[in-house]
Amino acid sequence: MAGNSFGTAFRFTTWGESHGIAIGAVVDGVPPRLPLTEEDIQRYLDRRKPGQSRFTTQRREPDTVRILSGVFEGLTTGTPVSLMIENQDQRSKDYGDIARKFRPGHADYTYQEKYGIRDYRGGGRSSARETASRVAAGAIARKVLGDGVTIRGALVQVGPHAIDRNRWDWSQTDANPFFCPDAETAARWETYLDEVRKSGSSVGAVIEVVASGVPVGWGDPLYDKLDSDLARAMMTINAVKGVEIGDGFAAAELSGEGNADEMRINPDGSVRFLSNHAGGILGGISTGQDIVVRFAVKPTSSILTPRQTVDIDGNETEILTKGRHDPCVGIRAVPVGEAMMACVLADHMMRHRAQCGG
Amino acid sequence: MAGNSFGTAFRFTTWGESHGIAIGAVVDGVPPRLPLTEEDIQRYLDRRKPGQSRFTTQRREPDTVRILSGVFEGLTTGTPVSLMIENQDQRSKDYGDIARKFRPGHADYTYQEKYGIRDYRGGGRSSARETASRVAAGAIARKVLGDGVTIRGALVQVGPHAIDRNRWDWSQTDANPFFCPDAETAARWETYLDEVRKSGSSVGAVIEVVASGVPVGWGDPLYDKLDSDLARAMMTINAVKGVEIGDGFAAAELSGEGNADEMRINPDGSVRFLSNHAGGILGGISTGQDIVVRFAVKPTSSILTPRQTVDIDGNETEILTKGRHDPCVGIRAVPVGEAMMACVLADHMMRHRAQCGG
Amino acid sequence: MAGNSFGTAFRFTTWGESHGIAIGAVVDGVPPRLPLTEEDIQRYLDRRKPGQSRFTTQRREPDTVRILSGVFEGLTTGTPVSLMIENQDQRSKDYGDIARKFRPGHADYTYQEKYGIRDYRGGGRSSARETASRVAAGAIARKVLGDGVTIRGALVQVGPHAIDRNRWDWSQTDANPFFCPDAETAARWETYLDEVRKSGSSVGAVIEVVASGVPVGWGDPLYDKLDSDLARAMMTINAVKGVEIGDGFAAAELSGEGNADEMRINPDGSVRFLSNHAGGILGGISTGQDIVVRFAVKPTSSILTPRQTVDIDGNETEILTKGRHDPCVGIRAVPVGEAMMACVLADHMMRHRAQCGG
Amino acid sequence: MAGNSFGTAFRFTTWGESHGIAIGAVVDGVPPRLPLTEEDIQRYLDRRKPGQSRFTTQRREPDTVRILSGVFEGLTTGTPVSLMIENQDQRSKDYGDIARKFRPGHADYTYQEKYGIRDYRGGGRSSARETASRVAAGAIARKVLGDGVTIRGALVQVGPHAIDRNRWDWSQTDANPFFCPDAETAARWETYLDEVRKSGSSVGAVIEVVASGVPVGWGDPLYDKLDSDLARAMMTINAVKGVEIGDGFAAAELSGEGNADEMRINPDGSVRFLSNHAGGILGGISTGQDIVVRFAVKPTSSILTPRQTVDIDGNETEILTKGRHDPCVGIRAVPVGEAMMACVLADHMMRHRAQCGG
């Protein structure tokens, strides 16, 4: 059933297949009179773009976005913003194997069984290429949120190698090809991922996204909680297998005393929390602290080692995936996670305004 | 904005506060001609009911459900099923402290700031008491799914103490007060939780819910994926801070080879997976394997040790929460997690039928 | 599929059958801190209540509403408001005929064919009794809209007898049993409907609902236009067969010159329209003028004259409906139409605020 | 708030402005494995295309549709079908008057007041040009419905001149430029509309759309009734001011006896109605008879006679609209009404399947 839309007040719908003519998104509900140019969107697409280092797929896609509607004389009009990115470098000639064999870990088998048909070229609709549309929508969401809200993502673990959080430096995330906030760890990953890449293997990763400047009060309990919407949002990203808010799974090991985020009053009368185990959300509503979300990405399923599988006719066979793939899809998931955070927050900013004014 | 509904084709809306007149749910979209009695629902409510052991709140609530509509001569009619559970044991006399002070870890502060008002009695709308309504809705969802789908939950970690998965025995989950599938660990938890309870403290937990018998093909990519709906579902449960599908966060440490669920053909021609790292979902669609979800619950925020906080007038103060609370809310989260799994699956069963027939 | 909810930001879900235990509504998205008592709702229910004159059904229902949630110390809290009205006077003893025969003009046949089952007692879910829930929801919607918006309905035609619009006097609508704004016509209807009633027949009617004080700017083009939502809203009311906005069908006969609502500037700088052919809506958005909606109600299908029909076993037969029915259901549709107008406007007030602020 | 989507299971979202780069639609939820080519869609677009006779706007738009996604090797894949129609003949040079003055009867004033900005070129988003996207979506909906359901529309009244229903001949609707089923009346309209056109005036019209072959059981009471969805659907079409189902407003004048659609059993055991006052819908659910909907379109607001209005700066002024406009927009509303009927039915076919199977 129709499932290609996300959000309620700020709502986007994406379309397009990896090796089709184009991909795109329609963003509906955008507040009017926001300045918006293609360049505003392009800068975020460029962060996600493939082929920027040897650690991501070498597919050459300029990922140039066009705004087809909803903007007039440089301002949004309140009508749907239609965005299109043409596919350039499909290399679609030879799909022999992938057309008939199901790649383990990919959506080949489930799409085929659900729909009785699938566009197997480059993964079709299930390809991570679709995430470009999300990043484009996220760029508009940031405009909706305005300068008061800052959304930043970082890669915090690659395979078994986690960063040292004491060395966290946001400025580093633009200084290495991994969006890594810890320069030392980034250097170590470089060596590690070179090995992974050369062996034709792949690894998983963990991404952390933080939103600062979110006021207290966003989120709609009980079923559209800010955290449940974030969990859903992150879990829609390709290859994601886990989502945490604040302390996440570590909270299971805490005592009630250890988990309590105590509160004090600032000299100016505002409220101050002494810790943020909750990740900035209580009862599904933002506390005014940083919103902290982490999600785990499984290793790229496309690898050079043959794996046992079956084909569309019910025969046993094996498959290995050549082609141009990311050894660690987690890297490019960073801007995607930021975009999803932005979209969830823009939606809840507007939803809060609907019910509570202001 | 309106956020108290869950699901699309199978859709429920809950209402009610912890110490109000009643709580309840309206379940819409229920297929017609399903046998349904109050007893069918009551048996699941009884599993979640408070006061069944010394490890859950001692509040005395019979949690007796009434079906007010949507059933005629013992069968569902296709019209909304309205369910009501009257609150009995509110003990609402004295709320002095809680009325004006914000309990750390609770939703007091965020509800007050969002809405400018809150029903502080027993946590009002943000109380876990609301989960009784979910369990009731889940009982109907199980009817929709039929006997072919089995949904079972277990507590797999309490504080730092995890079960031994080699001792997993589903029959044990009804043999101890923890829904623990490992008898030895259950015995150890008993001692541990007695200490926690006596010290007036609390601990977190991890719950695992498994659905067997789900056919391949349920789930609507890209934004209503089966896993993203499950992540959202579990994250709406009180105190949940993390959700995993299949290997979850552990997948980040795997290689592509290690993560691949290889496929073979059974003698009868059906497909067999050699492992289930994916937790039964690929590309947002069920694979036909067990659906495996885990979620982490933070420690109960209500503890006897005083914590620093602020009051509604902006004064610094401290608070401790007497009253009747679960030392580990994770225990009663087991039937709630099962119910949410059932509701997500019933919804997707029907959604799949809408688009793909059969 | 789930279809018992109405609205997006201001959203209500109704449940209950004519001769079941109770009927009710859950109203979600209500802004917080609105004063709300049962009496605020009861006064509107009392306008719709059966048995108030010899021209409506003689079923004796006090229609006493209870607020079960969402209100604390006399104020809404932003959480769902659950409303329940217990059924009292069901007289359910004997349903022999109606249980097996399909009454022409009623929903008996279609419910039976769609669901394979139906609660035939008093029409079950398809009974106009459900409209009490809407009137209750509408009372809350009026609170959301505040005193600046006035919503009034009137019966403007009964069978072939229309009012004289030159004699329109809103104060008359409370002075006769028909909500008729024209005292002379009301007197004539009295005689006419007595005849209809005594002959065991029934007639149709036309209702007009007018909202004053709606500011310019509410409504969400293109598919949630204010007028399309109103058309949907009115068409959901039992027995409604047509809806018009402003000049409605008469607009088909106008020329472009005759249809243009010309505009002028008031001394205070505000805009003034010289006419209101559009019924207060242009491009799906309110103009600031009165919103004018009319809808046609077919004659009550329950009549004393036998009609040919078939039974549930596929036999030809005939049926006549005794019992206590409205000779003209249009009368009691007036407060229902007002309620639906209120709900649509409250929803769009909040939706406008979400996207455009203010 | 986001309002540019229609439908639930079969759901389309449109985007684009009259004089922007392109217009389009994303159709989500399309069942898989339906044969679909651009030609399948183009034939319906060609029926709506401007400039086909002297009675519609002379704007030259080929309205060539491109399918950008969701179709693979000639079959739908179950993923979103993205459709794009490039705008060719915008003639956007000179908008002097229209940029600053509000045209009476148009959406200029309300868009400006709601959003604080508007794309005034050719009416921007509020232009009837958008209806091409609906016709394209409708062509896909027809594929979903299959050959068993036939949807046909006709113009039944132009200004004060109605057809003679005794002369109704569906084959005539393709034999004159008006989709008129009555050849004699079509000839009279030709003369009449020539006069209207030459005088620079315009007239309204009434359209009737009939669906045959719809089985009993589609429609979701109480708020997603088949008739309420149709009323909403038709009222979203530009310039529509009224919608009727079956006898519509005429039902108000009937007696219960006259309105009853009596039922008999056919020799083959199936049910036969002796009349169709209800227009094929009872209780919001299809009866198996023809679904009959009529809607009224107001006269084109763009006329050559100057009308009093105001400008964006609050000055009184007057305006006349040159340009290329339809003297009767009702003509081209016929294929649009058919498309909306198709989309509503496809949605309810799928929704019915979700809840009731089959």
Side-chain angles (χ1 to χ4, degrees):
Chain A
M1 210 174 84
N4 292 279
S5 298
F6 188 86
T8 300
F10 180 89
R11 182 173 181 86
F12 68 85
T13 302
T14 74
W15 55 269
E17 280 81 37
S18 181
H19 289 206
I21 295 167
I23 60 171
V26 181
V27 188
D28 198 5
V30 181
R33 298 188 310 281
L34 299 174
L36 183 69
T37 65
E38 287 164 352
E39 176 46 37
D40 290 330
I41 301 170
Q42 195 63 50
R43 51 184 285 227
Y44 291 102
L45 284 172
D46 289 349
R47 292 187 77 211
R48 194 213 71 105
K49 206 166 59 176
Q52 302 197 100
S53 79
R54 65 186 183 278
F55 305 107
T56 59
T57 170
Q58 296 306 299
R59 179 172 171 171
R60 295 278 160 206
E61 283 292 352
D63 276 357
T64 306
V65 69
R66 291 181 68 198
I67 299 175
L68 299 177
S69 69
V71 175
F72 182 60
E73 298 182 344
L75 299 175
T76 58
T77 59
T79 65
V81 179
S82 178
L83 304 168
M84 184 168 71
I85 299 167
E86 288 182 59
N87 289 325
Q88 305 278 355
D89 182 21
Q90 297 104 327
R91 290 210 197 159
S92 305
K93 28 215 153 193
D94 179 20
Y95 293 105
D97 250 20
I98 195 184
R100 309 202 61 78
K101 294 181 182 178
F102 301 129
R103 296 166 298 165
H106 277 286
D108 301 345
Y109 173 65
T110 52
Y111 269 67
Q112 184 67 41
E113 291 293 312
K114 180 179 187 70
Y115 299 116
I117 184 176
R118 76 183 201 280
D119 179 348
Y120 47 75
R121 303 167 304 160
R125 180 71 181 147
S126 71
S127 164
R129 175 141 189 72
E130 184 267 353
T131 58
S133 299
R134 304 170 183 232
V135 169
I140 300 179
R142 289 182 194 253
K143 289 277 181 173
V144 174
L145 293 167
D147 292 338
V149 174
T150 305
I151 296 167
R152 293 179 293 194
L155 201 64
V156 298
Q157 184 182 328
V158 170
H161 307 292
I163 61 161
D164 180 342
R165 302 184 78 89
N166 294 318
R167 286 196 299 256
W168 192 297
D169 175 359
W170 278 115
S171 71
Q172 286 298 316
T173 56
D174 288 330
N176 59 67
F178 309 111
F179 305 107
C180 179
D182 163 5
E184 283 186 41
T185 300
R188 212 165 310 134
W189 289 349
E190 192 151 353
T191 315
Y192 172 68
L193 280 173
D194 268 332
E195 285 165 29
V196 169
R197 187 172 55 84
K198 285 172 189 160
S199 70
S201 185
S202 65
V203 288
V206 177
I207 291 91
E208 183 164 322
V209 181
V210 180
S212 306
V214 175
V216 58
W218 294 1
D220 287 295
L222 294 179
Y223 296 96
D224 298 341
K225 286 176 167 171
L226 190 54
D227 37 0
S228 61
D229 275 9
L230 285 168
R232 176 190 165 203
M234 300 310 166
M235 199 63 98
T236 66
I237 302 173
N238 308 53
V240 172
K241 301 304 289 182
V243 184
E244 296 183 319
I245 309 291
D247 282 2
F249 277 84
E253 306 196 16
L254 293 179
S255 67
E257 293 77 14
N259 183 62
D261 295 317
E262 296 183 296
M263 300 166 77
R264 298 282 81 187
I265 300 291
N266 288 320
D268 68 356
S270 63
V271 160
R272 178 176 84 255
F273 288 89
L274 302 183
S275 55
N276 189 12
H277 297 286
I281 304 174
L282 285 174
I285 302 169
S286 60
T287 63
Q289 296 173 276
D290 280 0
I291 310 282
V292 182
V293 179
R294 261 183 315 285
F295 57 95
V297 172
K298 69 179 183 183
T300 317
S301 297
S302 300
I303 48 176
L304 284 175
T305 313
R307 297 282 94 186
Q308 297 184 78
T309 192
V310 303
D311 69 17
I312 202 172
D313 299 316
N315 303 307
E316 297 193 338
T317 180
E318 60 179 29
I319 192 165
L320 66 83
T321 320
K322 291 177 192 159
R324 306 155 296 169
H325 300 286
D326 300 79
C328 177
V329 280
I331 301 170
R332 289 168 60 210
V334 173
V336 181
E338 291 174 355
M340 294 307 291
M341 170 75 92
C343 290
V344 168
L345 290 176
D347 192 34
H348 274 289
M349 183 187 94
M350 293 165 68
R351 291 180 61 145
H352 178 67
R353 201 155 63 186
Q355 187 176 9
C356 299
Chain B
M1 211 174 83
N4 291 280
S5 298
F6 188 86
T8 300
F10 180 89
R11 181 174 181 85
F12 68 85
T13 302
T14 75
W15 55 269
E17 279 81 36
S18 181
H19 289 205
I21 296 167
I23 60 171
V26 181
V27 188
D28 198 6
V30 181
R33 299 187 311 282
L34 300 173
L36 183 69
T37 65
E38 285 164 353
E39 176 47 36
D40 290 330
I41 300 170
Q42 195 64 48
R43 50 184 288 225
Y44 291 102
L45 284 172
D46 289 348
R47 292 186 78 210
R48 193 213 71 105
K49 204 165 62 177
Q52 303 198 101
S53 80
R54 65 185 184 277
F55 305 107
T56 58
T57 170
Q58 296 306 299
R59 178 171 171 173
R60 294 280 159 204
E61 284 291 352
D63 276 357
T64 306
V65 70
R66 290 182 69 199
I67 298 176
L68 300 177
S69 69
V71 175
F72 182 61
E73 298 181 342
L75 299 175
T76 59
T77 59
T79 64
V81 179
S82 179
L83 304 168
M84 183 168 70
I85 299 166
E86 288 181 60
N87 289 325
Q88 305 278 354
D89 182 21
Q90 298 104 327
R91 290 207 199 164
S92 304
K93 25 213 153 189
D94 179 20
Y95 293 105
D97 249 20
I98 195 185
R100 309 203 61 79
K101 294 181 182 177
F102 301 130
R103 295 166 300 165
H106 278 286
D108 301 344
Y109 173 65
T110 52
Y111 269 66
Q112 183 68 40
E113 291 294 314
K114 181 179 186 69
Y115 299 116
I117 184 176
R118 77 184 200 280
D119 179 348
Y120 46 77
R121 302 167 306 160
R125 180 72 181 148
S126 71
S127 165
R129 175 141 188 73
E130 184 268 351
T131 59
S133 299
R134 305 169 182 232
V135 169
I140 300 178
R142 288 182 194 251
K143 290 276 182 173
V144 175
L145 292 167
D147 292 337
V149 174
T150 305
I151 295 166
R152 292 179 294 193
L155 201 64
V156 298
Q157 184 182 329
V158 170
H161 307 292
I163 62 160
D164 180 341
R165 302 184 77 89
N166 294 318
R167 287 196 298 256
W168 191 297
D169 175 359
W170 277 115
S171 71
Q172 286 299 316
T173 55
D174 287 329
N176 59 66
F178 309 112
F179 305 107
C180 179
D182 163 7
E184 284 186 40
T185 300
R188 212 165 310 134
W189 288 350
E190 192 151 353
T191 315
Y192 172 68
L193 280 174
D194 267 332
E195 284 166 29
V196 168
R197 186 172 54 85
K198 286 173 188 160
S199 71
S201 185
S202 65
V203 288
V206 177
I207 291 93
E208 183 164 321
V209 181
V210 180
S212 305
V214 175
V216 59
W218 294 1
D220 287 293
L222 294 178
Y223 295 96
D224 298 340
K225 286 177 167 171
L226 190 54
D227 38 359
S228 60
D229 274 10
L230 286 168
R232 177 191 165 204
M234 300 309 167
M235 199 63 97
T236 65
I237 302 173
N238 308 53
V240 172
K241 301 304 290 183
V243 184
E244 296 184 320
I245 309 291
D247 282 2
F249 277 84
E253 306 196 16
L254 293 179
S255 67
E257 294 76 14
N259 183 61
D261 296 318
E262 295 183 298
M263 300 166 77
R264 298 284 80 186
I265 300 291
N266 287 321
D268 68 356
S270 64
V271 160
R272 179 177 81 254
F273 288 89
L274 302 183
S275 55
N276 189 11
H277 297 285
I281 304 173
L282 285 173
I285 301 170
S286 60
T287 63
Q289 298 172 277
D290 281 359
I291 311 281
V292 182
V293 179
R294 258 182 318 283
F295 58 94
V297 173
K298 70 180 184 183
T300 317
S301 296
S302 299
I303 48 175
L304 284 175
T305 312
R307 297 281 94 188
Q308 297 184 80
T309 191
V310 302
D311 69 16
I312 202 173
D313 300 316
N315 303 307
E316 296 193 339
T317 180
E318 60 179 30
I319 193 166
L320 65 84
T321 320
K322 290 180 194 158
R324 306 155 297 169
H325 299 286
D326 300 79
C328 176
V329 279
I331 301 170
R332 289 168 60 210
V334 174
V336 181
E338 291 174 356
M340 294 307 291
M341 170 75 91
C343 290
V344 169
L345 290 176
D347 192 34
H348 275 289
M349 183 187 94
M350 294 165 68
R351 292 180 63 146
H352 178 66
R353 201 154 65 186
Q355 188 177 8
C356 299
Chain C
M1 210 173 86
N4 292 279
S5 298
F6 188 86
T8 300
F10 180 90
R11 182 174 181 85
F12 68 85
T13 302
T14 74
W15 55 269
E17 279 80 37
S18 181
H19 289 206
I21 296 167
I23 60 172
V26 181
V27 187
D28 199 4
V30 181
R33 298 188 312 283
L34 299 175
L36 183 69
T37 64
E38 287 165 351
E39 176 47 35
D40 291 331
I41 300 170
Q42 196 63 50
R43 51 184 284 227
Y44 291 102
L45 284 171
D46 289 348
R47 290 187 78 210
R48 193 213 72 104
K49 206 166 59 176
Q52 302 198 99
S53 78
R54 66 186 182 276
F55 304 108
T56 59
T57 170
Q58 295 305 300
R59 179 171 171 173
R60 295 279 158 205
E61 284 291 353
D63 276 357
T64 307
V65 70
R66 290 181 69 197
I67 299 176
L68 299 177
S69 69
V71 176
F72 183 59
E73 299 182 341
L75 299 177
T76 59
T77 60
T79 65
V81 179
S82 178
L83 304 168
M84 183 167 70
I85 300 167
E86 287 182 60
N87 290 324
Q88 305 279 357
D89 181 21
Q90 297 104 328
R91 291 209 198 162
S92 305
K93 26 215 153 179
D94 179 21
Y95 294 105
D97 249 20
I98 194 182
R100 308 203 62 79
K101 294 181 182 177
F102 302 130
R103 295 167 298 166
H106 277 286
D108 301 345
Y109 173 67
T110 52
Y111 270 66
Q112 184 68 40
E113 291 293 313
K114 180 178 187 70
Y115 299 116
I117 185 177
R118 77 184 200 281
D119 179 347
Y120 48 75
R121 301 169 305 162
R125 181 69 180 150
S126 71
S127 164
R129 175 140 189 74
E130 184 266 352
T131 58
S133 299
R134 306 171 182 230
V135 169
I140 300 178
R142 288 182 194 252
K143 289 276 181 175
V144 175
L145 292 167
D147 292 337
V149 174
T150 305
I151 295 167
R152 292 179 292 194
L155 201 64
V156 298
Q157 184 182 329
V158 170
H161 306 292
I163 61 160
D164 180 340
R165 302 183 78 90
N166 294 318
R167 286 196 298 256
W168 192 297
D169 175 1
W170 278 114
S171 71
Q172 286 298 316
T173 56
D174 288 330
N176 60 66
F178 310 111
F179 305 107
C180 179
D182 164 6
E184 284 186 40
T185 299
R188 214 164 307 136
W189 287 350
E190 193 151 351
T191 314
Y192 172 68
L193 280 174
D194 268 332
E195 285 165 29
V196 168
R197 187 173 55 85
K198 286 173 188 161
S199 70
S201 184
S202 65
V203 287
V206 178
I207 291 92
E208 183 165 322
V209 181
V210 179
S212 305
V214 175
V216 59
W218 294 1
D220 286 295
L222 294 179
Y223 296 97
D224 298 341
K225 286 176 167 171
L226 190 53
D227 36 0
S228 61
D229 275 11
L230 286 168
R232 176 190 165 205
M234 300 310 165
M235 199 63 98
T236 66
I237 302 172
N238 308 52
V240 173
K241 301 304 289 181
V243 184
E244 297 183 318
I245 308 290
D247 282 2
F249 276 85
E253 306 196 16
L254 293 179
S255 67
E257 293 77 12
N259 183 62
D261 295 318
E262 296 183 295
M263 300 166 77
R264 299 282 81 186
I265 300 292
N266 287 321
D268 68 357
S270 63
V271 160
R272 179 177 81 255
F273 288 89
L274 303 184
S275 54
N276 189 11
H277 296 285
I281 304 173
L282 285 173
I285 302 170
S286 60
T287 62
Q289 298 172 275
D290 280 1
I291 311 281
V292 182
V293 179
R294 259 182 316 284
F295 57 95
V297 172
K298 70 180 183 183
T300 317
S301 296
S302 300
I303 47 175
L304 284 176
T305 312
R307 297 281 94 187
Q308 296 185 77
T309 192
V310 302
D311 69 16
I312 201 172
D313 300 316
N315 303 307
E316 297 194 338
T317 180
E318 61 179 30
I319 192 165
L320 65 85
T321 320
K322 290 176 193 162
R324 304 156 297 170
H325 299 287
D326 300 80
C328 177
V329 281
I331 301 170
R332 289 168 60 209
V334 173
V336 181
E338 291 174 356
M340 294 307 292
M341 170 75 91
C343 290
V344 168
L345 290 176
D347 192 35
H348 275 288
M349 182 188 93
M350 293 165 68
R351 293 181 62 148
H352 178 67
R353 203 153 64 184
Q355 186 176 10
C356 299
Chain D
M1 210 174 87
N4 292 278
S5 299
F6 188 87
T8 300
F10 180 90
R11 181 173 181 86
F12 68 84
T13 302
T14 74
W15 54 269
E17 280 80 36
S18 180
H19 289 206
I21 295 167
I23 60 172
V26 182
V27 188
D28 199 5
V30 181
R33 299 187 311 281
L34 299 175
L36 183 69
T37 65
E38 286 165 352
E39 175 47 36
D40 291 330
I41 300 170
Q42 195 63 49
R43 51 184 284 229
Y44 291 101
L45 284 172
D46 289 348
R47 290 187 78 212
R48 194 213 72 104
K49 204 165 62 174
Q52 302 197 101
S53 79
R54 66 186 183 276
F55 304 107
T56 59
T57 169
Q58 296 305 300
R59 179 170 170 172
R60 295 279 157 204
E61 284 292 352
D63 276 358
T64 307
V65 69
R66 291 182 69 197
I67 298 176
L68 300 177
S69 69
V71 175
F72 183 59
E73 299 181 342
L75 299 175
T76 59
T77 60
T79 65
V81 179
S82 178
L83 305 169
M84 183 168 70
I85 299 166
E86 288 182 60
N87 290 324
Q88 305 278 356
D89 182 21
Q90 297 104 327
R91 291 211 197 159
S92 305
K93 20 209 161 189
D94 179 19
Y95 293 105
D97 248 19
I98 194 183
R100 308 203 62 79
K101 294 181 183 178
F102 302 129
R103 295 167 298 165
H106 277 286
D108 301 345
Y109 173 66
T110 52
Y111 269 66
Q112 184 67 42
E113 290 294 313
K114 180 178 187 69
Y115 298 116
I117 185 177
R118 78 183 198 280
D119 179 348
Y120 48 74
R121 301 168 305 160
R125 181 70 180 148
S126 71
S127 164
R129 175 140 189 75
E130 185 268 352
T131 58
S133 299
R134 304 170 182 231
V135 169
I140 300 178
R142 288 181 193 253
K143 289 275 182 176
V144 175
L145 292 167
D147 291 339
V149 174
T150 305
I151 295 167
R152 293 180 292 194
L155 201 64
V156 298
Q157 185 182 328
V158 170
H161 305 293
I163 61 160
D164 180 340
R165 302 183 79 88
N166 294 318
R167 287 195 299 255
W168 191 297
D169 175 359
W170 278 114
S171 72
Q172 286 299 317
T173 56
D174 288 330
N176 60 66
F178 309 111
F179 304 107
C180 179
D182 165 7
E184 283 186 41
T185 301
R188 214 163 310 135
W189 288 350
E190 193 152 351
T191 314
Y192 172 67
L193 280 173
D194 268 331
E195 282 166 30
V196 169
R197 186 173 56 84
K198 285 173 189 160
S199 69
S201 184
S202 65
V203 287
V206 177
I207 291 93
E208 183 164 322
V209 181
V210 179
S212 305
V214 175
V216 58
W218 294 2
D220 286 294
L222 294 181
Y223 296 97
D224 298 340
K225 286 176 167 171
L226 190 54
D227 37 359
S228 61
D229 275 10
L230 286 169
R232 177 191 165 203
M234 300 309 165
M235 199 63 97
T236 65
I237 302 173
N238 309 51
V240 172
K241 301 305 288 182
V243 183
E244 296 183 319
I245 309 291
D247 282 2
F249 277 84
E253 305 197 16
L254 292 178
S255 67
E257 293 77 13
N259 183 61
D261 295 317
E262 295 183 297
M263 300 167 76
R264 300 283 80 188
I265 301 291
N266 288 320
D268 68 356
S270 64
V271 160
R272 179 178 81 255
F273 287 89
L274 302 184
S275 55
N276 190 11
H277 297 286
I281 304 173
L282 285 174
I285 302 170
S286 60
T287 63
Q289 297 172 276
D290 281 359
I291 310 280
V292 182
V293 179
R294 261 183 315 284
F295 56 94
V297 173
K298 70 180 183 183
T300 317
S301 297
S302 299
I303 47 175
L304 284 175
T305 312
R307 295 281 95 187
Q308 296 184 78
T309 192
V310 303
D311 70 16
I312 202 173
D313 299 316
N315 304 307
E316 297 193 337
T317 179
E318 60 178 30
I319 191 164
L320 65 85
T321 320
K322 291 178 192 160
R324 305 157 297 170
H325 300 286
D326 299 80
C328 176
V329 280
I331 301 170
R332 289 168 61 210
V334 173
V336 181
E338 291 173 356
M340 294 307 291
M341 170 75 91
C343 290
V344 169
L345 290 175
D347 191 35
H348 275 289
M349 182 188 94
M350 294 166 69
R351 291 180 63 146
H352 179 67
R353 202 154 64 185
Q355 186 176 9
C356 299

